[in-house]
Amino acid sequence: MPLHTSRIKEKPGKKLAVLRALKLKCPNCGKEKLFRSYLKQVNACPNCGEEYAHIRTDDAAPWLTILVVGHVIVPSMVAVQASGVWPIGFSAIFWPAAATLLGGLVLPRAKALILGVIWYDRAPGSEKT
Ligand SMILES: [Zn+2]
């Protein structure tokens, strides 16, 4: 069984593939959705036939999400709290909610990014032999 099963003959460049993945689209053709639910990738792209079910991103996406969200939320929180503008009660509700919302937005894109890189490079993480 061939490793590359796509109906598209020419593979996109790495930058284009990653940009398509960040838009939550198929890295190969960019036309169809990469996920069938919040974090579950499609088995294969309905447009180009590229298979994604065998690619596992494991813990990379949550780690990347924590890295990004932490670097946005923590400095913002420290700056706002140091200025003393917000009452502590408001901050106790706002910052966890902001971190949860931002994490929810970043996590699928982080998974798509990792998945796009693994797909492009045929890197370990692919369970296909
Ligand atoms: Zn496709």
Side-chain angles (χ1 to χ4, degrees):
M1 186 171 176
L3 179 64
H4 193 70
T5 57
S6 175
R7 289 189 289 263
I8 293 180
K9 296 196 171 22
E10 194 166 320
K11 188 176 175 180
K14 190 172 195 173
K15 185 177 178 183
L16 180 59
V18 168
L19 284 175
R20 286 173 175 169
L22 282 172
K23 292 179 188 174
L24 307 181
K25 298 289 185 184
C26 168
N28 192 37
C29 70
K31 299 210 183 320
E32 294 290 333
K33 291 180 178 176
L34 185 56
F35 295 120
R36 63 178 179 218
S37 63
Y38 181 61
L39 289 175
K40 186 72 176 171
Q41 72 252 30
V42 294
N43 290 334
C45 175
N47 182 52
C48 67
E50 187 65 30
E51 294 180 6
Y52 297 106
H54 62 282
I55 298 174
R56 295 185 48 139
T57 59
D58 292 335
D59 294 339
W63 279 106
L64 183 59
T65 300
I66 291 167
L67 185 75
V68 170
V69 172
H71 279 86
V72 171
I73 292 292
V74 172
S76 303
M77 185 173 62
V78 168
V80 168
Q81 291 310 118
S83 70
V85 176
W86 288 355
I88 192 72
F90 179 75
S91 292
I93 294 169
F94 178 82
W95 292 115
T100 302
L101 180 66
L102 188 58
L105 291 172
V106 170
L107 184 58
R109 283 146 188 91
K111 179 167 181 170
L113 172 73
I114 302 294
L115 198 147
V117 170
I118 289 173
W119 171 80
Y120 184 85
D121 289 336
R122 307 278 185 232
S126 172
E127 294 181 343
K128 204 170 195 176
T129 54

